[in-house]
Amino acid sequence: MKDLGLGNTVKTTCAYCGVGCGVLATISPAGEVTVKGDPEHPANYGRLCSKGSALADTLSSIGRLVSPEIGGVKTDWDTALELVAKRFQKTIAEHGPDSVAFYVSGQLLTEDYYVANKLMKGFIGSANIDTNSRLCMASSVAGHRRAFGTDTVPGNYEDLEQADLVVLTGSNLAWCHPVIYQRLLAAKTTNPAMKVVNIDPRRTATSDIADLHLQIEVGADVTLFNRLLLAIVDSGHVDHDYVAAHVNGFDAAVEAARNEARADLGISDADLQAFIDLWTGTEKVVTVYSQGVNQSSSGSDKVNAIINCHLATGRIGHAGMGPFSVTGQPNAMGGREVGGLANMLACHLDLENADHREAVQDFWHAPAMPDQAGLKAVEMFDAVADGRIKAIWIMCTNPVVSMPEADKVRTALEDCDFVVVSDMYGDTDTALTADVLLPATGWSEKDGTVTNSDRTISRQRRFLAPVGQAKHDWDIISEVGRRMGWERAFAYTAPEDIFREYAALSSLGGKFGKDFDISAWDIGYDCMTPTRWGKERYFGNGGFYHADGRAKMLPVQYTAPKSAPTDAFPLRMNSGRVRDHWHTMTRTGQAARLSQHLAEPFIEIHPATAERLGIKPAHLVEVTSPHGKAIVRALITDRVRRREVFVPIHWTGQYSSAGRVDALVTGYTDPVSGQPESKATCVDAQPFAADFYAFAVSTAEPQPDCAYWAKARVDAGWRMELAGAKPADWEAFAISLFGKGDVTSVIDDARGIARIAVTRNGKLLGALFAGPEPVAVSRSHLASLLGEAPDAVLAGRPGADQPDAGPIICSCFSVGVNTILTAMEKDGLMTVEAIGKALSAGTNCGSCKPEIAQLIARTAIREAAE
Ligand SMILES: Nc1nc2c(c(=O)[nH]1)N[C@H]1C(S)=C(S)[C@@H](COP(=O)(O)OP(=O)(O)OC[C@H]3O[C@@H](n4cnc5c(=O)[nH]c(N)nc54)[C@H](O)[C@@H]3O)O[C@H]1N2
Ligand SMILES: Nc1nc2c(c(=O)[nH]1)N[C@H]1C(S)=C(S)[C@@H](COP(=O)(O)OP(=O)(O)OC[C@H]3O[C@@H](n4cnc5c(=O)[nH]c(N)nc54)[C@H](O)[C@@H]3O)O[C@H]1N2
Ligand code: SF4
Ligand SMILES: [Mo]
C-alpha cells in the first residue's frame, strides 16, 4: 500500500453516516492501516460502529477505476476532460444551459460540492444541479424552512443524553446512527427515569430499547402528531408565553388538527394514550426523525407536524429539548450549507431571492445566475428520459440503484446523448451507462471537510496516495471549469483555497441575517479541529429567520401515501437499511466481515400474509410493481404489519441477479420538497418457482448463470445463494462457477440433490450444495474451508467435535448465533455484558448488542414458557 507517512496517526472523519465520528487512522511500518475511534471527537468520544471499525477492510484497490475511460476504453485525463468540457459547451451552445445537469451527492466533501455548485449555478448559468440528498433530507429542509425560516437543526447530540424522553420516529437509530444510539443507551443506563418511544411500522433493533413501540401504519405520522398537538392543547400544556412571543399560526395548526379526517392509526388507544401522557408529561423531550418521516409524499408535513408540537410547548432550543432531524450521509448537512440543492444557494441563501442571487453573483464575478430553481432529482431524470437534458454528469452517487423507477433511470441514461460518471469504481450499475468514466479518489485519499448531524464541521484527511490515476472531485470539476473558459474562477490548487473562499462567501449569510456565517473563523485548515458552527442551540428564546423573527406552526393534515393498494398490488413495500452495509455496497461489499451479517436481499413478510400467499420460510419471493420486479429471500416475521413488507435497499446488479428494489418503487414525490416516497409503493409478492436451491462457496468471483443469485465476499473468496431452472449437468454447472479442477460429487438425480466439491492441488476451489428445497448447511463453516485441504467437505457441516458458529452476529469478532446460544444455554450467561466477557461479542463496536439482547430476551421468554 502506498503511504503518506508510515507509522503516523492521522485524525480524520468516518466515511459513512451523518453521525460524523472522528477516526484515528494509523499506517504501520509494514504499510497496514488500522482505524480506531478518536477519543477527542465530540461526536463519538472514541466509539465506532461495525462499519466504522471495518473502514480499513475497504481500502483494497480491487475493482477501483484506475484511469479515465471513454466508451469503455482507457484514455488519459487530458483527452477525457477535454471531451467533457467540449461536449458540455457544445450542448449549452446548441440547446441552452438548461439542457445540461449535474447530479451530485451528500458524500461529496464540502469543497467538491462548492465547486460543482459554482460551476453550474454561477458559470453555466443553470440551476440544474441536484443531489441524492433530495432522496434523503429534502423534506426536513423544507419543514425547517417553513417553520424556522431557514434550514437550521436547532439542537445537538448532547440533547439526546440530557432528555427525559427521546422519541425516535421513522428512525432505525441502532443500525443507521449506531454511535448516537450507543450514547443514548449509555444515557438511559445512567438515568433510568429516561423513557424512549419508537414510532415505526416495523419492529427493529431500535425498538428494543424503547419503553413503548408504536407500530403505526406506514404514512400515518401526521395524524399521530396532530393527535398529540390536540392533547397538548386540551391538557393545558401549551407554553402560552412562548407562543405569544415567538410563534405564528398556532390557531390554524390546532384547527387543522381538530379537523383531521383520519381516525385510525393502526395502534391501540391505550398505546396512543401512553405516548400522549409521556410526551405531555415530560418537559425535556427530543423527537428524533429520519427517513420514515422524510421519504414520504407527506414528508414535509410530517416534519412540520412534529415541529408544531415542540413550538406549541416551547420545547426547543434548551438542553434536552427539540425536534432533531438526523442526517444520513457524512456530508448531507454540509451539502445543505453549501447550497447543493437545486433551489438553494450557499450559506442558506435562496436562489429565488434577487438580492441573495445578486450578492452571490458579485462575489463569484459570475457571468450568469439562474433566477429559478432547477430540476429536482426525480424531475431531472424524467428530463433525461424525455431528452430535455442531453448531457448529465453524475458524481459520487449510484442512481440506477437508488432512484425510484430505477429501470427507467437506467434506460434514460443509456439513451442520453452524453453521460459522465465520476466514481471510485467502474462497474457500478450507473457507471455501466456512462460515455465517460472519471476515476475519483475516495475516503483515505482525499482532503476536505464534512458537517455532521449536529452542525459540527470536521476534517477528512488523506493518509493514502490515490489509487491509479484517480483525482479529487474538486480538482476534476475545476479542470472542466477552466477548460470551459473560466480559468480564474476555478484556479484552485488545494481544498484549502476552496474552503477559504467559501468561508469568505458566508459573510453574505451574516449580511442577510442568516444563521450560517463562518467568515470570522480562524481557519487553520491543516490543524482544524471539529467545530460546531453557529450557536450551541437555536430558538430557545425565539430568534427565528422569517422576516418578523417568529416561527410558523403549519396547518397540516394526513394525506395517504400516493401509491394505493389494488387487487393486483395489495402489499405496501417499506424499504431501508441493514446494520453492516452502506447503500449500494460499493465499499462495504468489499469487506468480508461486513458481508456476513446479512448476506443476501430479503423481504420481511408477516406470517399470516406468507401463509395466505403460499410463501414458505427461506423460499424465494418474486416481488412486482407496475415498474419492475425483484427476487428476494422470504424472512417470515411478525416484525412487520400484515399488509406491509420490508426490503433492504443495498443489493445491486453486482451482488445479485434481481435485488435492486428501487426498480419497483414509484417516483411519487412530496409536493413541497420533491423528495420521493421511497418507503410506500404497493407491490405484489408471490412464491418464486425454483427447481433447485443451492448454496456455494468459491475462491474466484463466480458469474452465476441462473434466475436467482446473490453473492457476498468471505475471507478467502465468495459465498453465494443460487436458484432457478435445474442445470442439465450439475458438475458442468459447478465448474462454470469455480473453474476447472478435481471434482468430487454426490448426485442423486431422482431427489434433485447434488453436493459437489472442486479442488486443485488438493485445495478447495469451490463447493456447491443443491436441492429442491433451500439447503441447510453451515455457511460460515464452508466459507472457512476455501483454499484449505479439508476432509469431508460434502458433509456441509463441521464434524461432531467442532462447534458450528452459525450465522455471524458480531462482525468484529466473527461470533455466530450458535456460539452465543450455547453460552446462554450451557453457561447460563444471560446478560449482554456476560456474553461480551466470555466471547468478546459486542465488546468492540457494540453494533450487535441489540441483537444479542434480543437473543437473550427470546431465550428467556421461551424458558419462562416451558
Ligand atoms: N448501516 C447503515 N447505516 C446508514 C446508512 C446505510 O446505508 N447503512 N445510510 C445512511 C443514510 S444516507 C441515511 S439517510 C440514514 C437513514 O437512517 P434511517 O432513516 O434510520 O433508516 P431507514 O432504514 O431508511 O428507515 C428508518 C425506518 O423508517 C421506518 N418507516 C417506514 N415508513 C415509515 C412511516 O411512514 N412512518 C414512520 N414513523 N416510520 C417509517 C422503516 O420501517 C425503518 O425502520 O442512515 C444512514 N446510516
Ligand atoms: N427504496 C429506497 N431507496 C432509497 C432509500 C431508501 O430508504 N429506500 N434511501 C435513499 C437515500 S436516503 C440515499 S442517501 C440514497 C443513497 O444512494 P446512492 O448515493 O446512490 O448510494 P451510494 O452507494 O452511497 O453511492 C455512492 C457512489 O459514490 C461512489 N463514491 C464513494 N466515494 C466517492 C468519492 O469520494 N467521489 C466519487 N466521485 N465517488 C465516490 C461510490 O462508489 C458509489 O458508487 O439512496 C436513496 N434511495
Ligand atoms: S456511527 Fe458508524 S458509520 Fe456512522 S460515522 Fe460513526 S463509525 Fe461511521
Ligand atoms: Mo440518505
Side-chain angles (χ1 to χ4, degrees):
M1 212 168 263
K2 287 186 212 145
D3 65 86
L4 292 169
L6 287 184
N8 286 338
T9 293
V10 172
K11 277 184 176 237
T12 182
T13 311
C14 179
Y16 301 116
C17 83
V19 179
C21 296
V23 170
L24 300 177
T26 307
I27 314 175
S28 77
E32 217 165 283
V33 176
T34 47
V35 300
K36 280 200 320 216
D38 178 353
E40 291 173 356
H41 197 290
N44 57 317
Y45 298 105
R47 297 177 182 90
L48 290 179
C49 76
S50 52
K51 294 179 301 301
S53 302
L55 272 164
D57 297 17
T58 60
L59 299 176
S60 103
S61 53
I62 297 173
R64 284 292 295 274
L65 185 61
V66 291
S67 88
E69 292 180 12
I70 297 177
V73 179
K74 286 190 178 166
T75 184
D76 55 77
W77 271 110
D78 193 45
T79 314
L81 292 171
E82 201 56 27
L83 178 66
V84 173
K86 291 286 138 8
R87 279 298 294 261
F88 268 80
Q89 269 180 330
K90 182 164 176 270
T91 310
I92 294 163
E94 285 171 9
H95 305 283
D98 289 336
S99 65
V100 301
F102 293 170
Y103 182 58
V104 302
S105 164
Q107 292 166 72
L108 286 176
L109 305 182
T110 296
E111 293 75 3
D112 304 325
Y113 238 134
Y114 179 86
V115 182
N117 233 327
K118 182 175 176 184
L119 177 56
M120 182 53 89
K121 291 191 183 134
F123 289 78
I124 290 177
S126 165
N128 283 344
I129 174 168
D130 209 36
T131 144
N132 65 355
S133 286
R134 185 69 61 191
L135 320 179
C136 183
M137 301 313 305
S139 298
S140 280
V141 174
H144 288 155
R145 294 178 75 198
R146 292 200 297 188
F148 309 144
T150 190
D151 175 24
T152 308
V153 172
N156 59 45
Y157 294 156
E158 281 72 40
D159 290 330
L160 271 79
E161 296 167 322
Q162 293 166 358
D164 293 318
L165 170 65
V166 175
V167 179
L168 303 168
T169 179
S171 155
N172 185 3
L173 206 74
W175 280 10
C176 296
H177 297 89
V179 166
I180 311 188
Y181 172 83
Q182 287 178 29
R183 287 179 61 170
L184 176 63
L185 196 63
K188 194 168 193 278
T189 313
T190 35
N191 173 14
M194 181 200 267
K195 297 282 187 246
V196 174
V197 177
N198 179 213
I199 305 167
D200 193 313
R202 200 166 62 102
R203 211 162 66 238
T204 68
T206 304
S207 319
D208 289 340
I209 55 157
D211 299 281
L212 178 66
H213 173 215
L214 300 181
Q215 198 165 6
I216 60 169
E217 264 178 39
V218 163
D221 306 68
V222 170
T223 309
L224 177 64
F225 282 90
N226 270 346
R227 290 287 185 83
L228 176 61
L229 181 61
L230 290 183
I232 288 167
V233 174
D234 295 344
S235 63
H237 283 89
V238 173
D239 181 339
H240 292 287
D241 292 343
Y242 187 86
V243 170
H246 307 300
V247 182
N248 292 330
F250 177 85
D251 291 337
V254 174
E255 191 183 313
R258 262 203 220 288
N259 297 329
E260 164 79 68
R262 187 187 162 115
D264 179 41
L265 285 159
I267 56 171
S268 70
D269 290 344
D271 280 353
L272 175 62
Q273 196 55 48
F275 170 61
I276 286 173
D277 290 345
L278 272 175
W279 213 101
T280 52
T282 314
E283 182 70 6
K284 286 186 167 186
V285 44
V286 173
T287 308
V288 175
Y289 52 97
S290 186
Q291 298 315 336
V293 167
N294 292 341
Q295 286 171 343
S296 158
S297 58
S298 59
S300 308
D301 287 352
K302 288 183 181 184
V303 170
N304 287 107
I306 293 168
I307 295 175
N308 282 349
C309 296
H310 283 273
L311 289 174
T313 50
R315 294 176 186 168
I316 185 168
H318 297 290
M321 300 179 201
F324 198 138
S325 142
V326 280
T327 51
Q329 299 175 93
N331 201 28
M333 189 75 102
R336 285 149 66 176
E337 292 152 13
V338 80
L341 293 161
N343 49 334
M344 298 293 294
L345 287 171
C347 319
H348 294 165
L349 299 175
D350 301 324
L351 182 78
E352 283 160 304
N353 179 317
D355 295 336
H356 295 184
R357 211 167 50 229
E358 274 162 33
V360 175
Q361 180 165 6
D362 279 353
F363 181 90
W364 279 342
H365 304 296
M369 289 281 279
D371 54 8
Q372 311 181 18
L375 297 173
K376 302 187 176 99
V378 171
E379 301 163 344
M380 183 181 279
F381 284 95
D382 283 345
V384 174
D386 65 26
R388 275 174 292 149
I389 286 180
K390 300 176 197 310
I392 184 166
W393 187 354
I394 297 166
M395 308 173 201
C396 200
T397 174
N398 194 356
V400 173
V401 182
S402 55
M403 282 284 295
E405 299 182 33
D407 286 345
K408 181 175 143 191
V409 169
R410 171 156 60 198
T411 312
L413 290 173
E414 283 167 351
D415 294 346
C416 181
D417 289 349
F418 192 59
V419 176
V420 184
V421 173
S422 305
D423 204 289
M424 297 166 65
Y425 298 93
D427 62 354
T428 72
D429 290 291
T430 302
L432 295 176
T433 68
D435 297 288
V436 180
L437 268 178
L438 303 175
T441 51
W443 185 85
S444 78
E445 301 161 359
K446 61 194 292 186
D447 270 311
T449 52
V450 290
T451 313
N452 74 0
S453 294
D454 81 345
R455 293 181 274 111
T456 300
I457 300 184
S458 299
R459 278 290 316 273
Q460 270 197 18
R461 291 188 175 87
R462 74 173 182 154
F463 52 92
L464 294 176
V467 166
Q469 298 175 39
K471 269 183 192 284
H472 309 308
D473 289 291
W474 64 265
D475 196 13
I476 304 175
I477 305 160
S478 302
E479 280 241 26
V480 170
R482 293 198 292 269
R483 284 164 196 262
M484 289 178 78
W486 300 300
E487 286 85 2
R488 283 202 37 208
F490 295 93
Y492 308 111
T493 56
E496 181 171 354
D497 302 346
I498 303 164
F499 192 82
R500 285 186 185 280
E501 179 178 315
Y502 172 45
L505 169 66
S506 76
S507 68
L508 296 179
K511 179 178 159 204
F512 288 108
K514 295 286 181 183
D515 51 354
F516 188 87
D517 179 354
I518 57 169
S519 57
W521 274 24
D522 177 15
I523 303 161
Y525 195 73
D526 280 339
C527 56
M528 186 193 282
T529 51
T531 311
R532 183 178 293 136
W533 64 257
K535 303 185 208 169
E536 206 163 313
R537 295 187 179 83
Y538 281 88
F539 312 138
N541 298 306
F544 293 92
Y545 291 92
H546 287 298
D548 59 2
R550 294 165 69 89
K552 247 185 221 149
M553 283 174 65
L554 267 277
V556 290
Q557 287 184 333
Y558 171 79
T559 50
K562 285 194 186 156
S563 172
T566 61
D567 289 347
F569 301 106
L571 300 170
R572 198 171 287 292
M573 186 180 81
N574 179 359
S575 62
R577 288 150 174 84
V578 304
R579 192 190 77 192
D580 286 355
H581 275 306
W582 177 258
H583 298 161
T584 73
M585 303 204 302
T586 60
R587 288 172 290 166
T588 49
Q590 307 276 345
R593 74 157 140 152
L594 296 179
S595 302
Q596 307 313 305
H597 179 243
L598 288 163
E600 71 178 322
F602 58 86
I603 181 168
E604 288 182 352
I605 186 162
H606 191 275
T609 309
E611 187 176 325
R612 185 164 53 76
L613 296 170
I615 293 169
K616 293 193 237 154
H619 280 237
L620 290 170
V621 180
E622 185 167 90
V623 195
T624 50
S625 83
H627 311 287
K629 74 166 190 184
I631 308 172
V632 291
R633 185 76 56 183
L635 206 162
I636 297 175
T637 168
D638 65 2
R639 288 198 294 262
V640 288
R641 300 173 58 93
R642 281 180 186 231
R643 294 184 171 280
E644 294 174 5
V645 294
F646 175 84
V647 291
I649 60 171
H650 308 285
W651 274 269
T652 65
Q654 281 72 57
Y655 288 101
S656 64
S657 58
R660 278 169 52 252
V661 297
D662 267 302
L664 280 75
V665 174
T666 306
Y668 291 127
T669 56
D670 176 299
V672 183
S673 69
Q675 178 153 356
E677 185 151 66
S678 309
K679 288 177 162 31
T681 293
C682 290
V683 300
D684 188 28
Q686 293 293 331
F688 173 74
D691 300 343
F692 82 95
Y693 289 83
F695 173 76
V697 289
S698 170
T699 52
E701 181 172 358
Q703 304 301 340
D705 179 19
C706 52
Y708 177 78
W709 57 263
K711 58 190 176 194
R713 274 200 175 77
V714 295
D715 284 331
W718 294 83
R719 59 182 277 186
M720 78 217 80
E721 306 287 341
L722 308 157
K726 203 173 137 216
D729 179 339
W730 280 113
E731 289 189 4
F733 182 66
I735 285 169
S736 77
L737 290 172
F738 313 138
K740 286 206 178 108
D742 303 321
V743 176
T744 318
S745 64
V746 179
I747 293 173
D748 180 343
D749 260 331
R751 288 165 61 211
I753 290 173
R755 296 192 155 205
I756 302 172
V758 179
T759 55
R760 199 180 291 157
N761 304 324
K763 302 272 173 66
L764 187 66
L765 277 190
L768 173 79
F769 297 79
E773 294 282 315
V775 290
V777 289
S778 169
R779 283 155 168 78
S780 51
H781 166 67
L782 287 167
S784 73
L785 302 182
L786 280 173
E788 304 288 321
D791 302 329
V793 175
L794 297 188
R797 308 201 155 276
D801 54 331
Q802 288 168 284
D804 171 10
I808 300 299
I809 288 211
C810 168
S811 53
C812 295
F813 296 107
S814 278
V815 185
V817 83
N818 294 346
T819 313
I820 296 172
L821 287 174
T822 308
M824 283 159 49
E825 279 157 20
K826 290 228 173 91
D827 307 329
L829 305 180
M830 293 302 277
T831 63
V832 176
E833 291 69 33
I835 286 176
K837 239 186 181 161
L839 305 172
S840 298
T843 57
N844 182 38
C845 77
S847 292
C848 61
K849 281 182 175 173
E851 283 151 279
I852 298 175
Q854 227 171 48
L855 281 179
I856 293 172
R858 251 187 272 146
T859 307
I861 291 168
R862 208 178 49 229
E863 282 176 358
E866 268 169 6

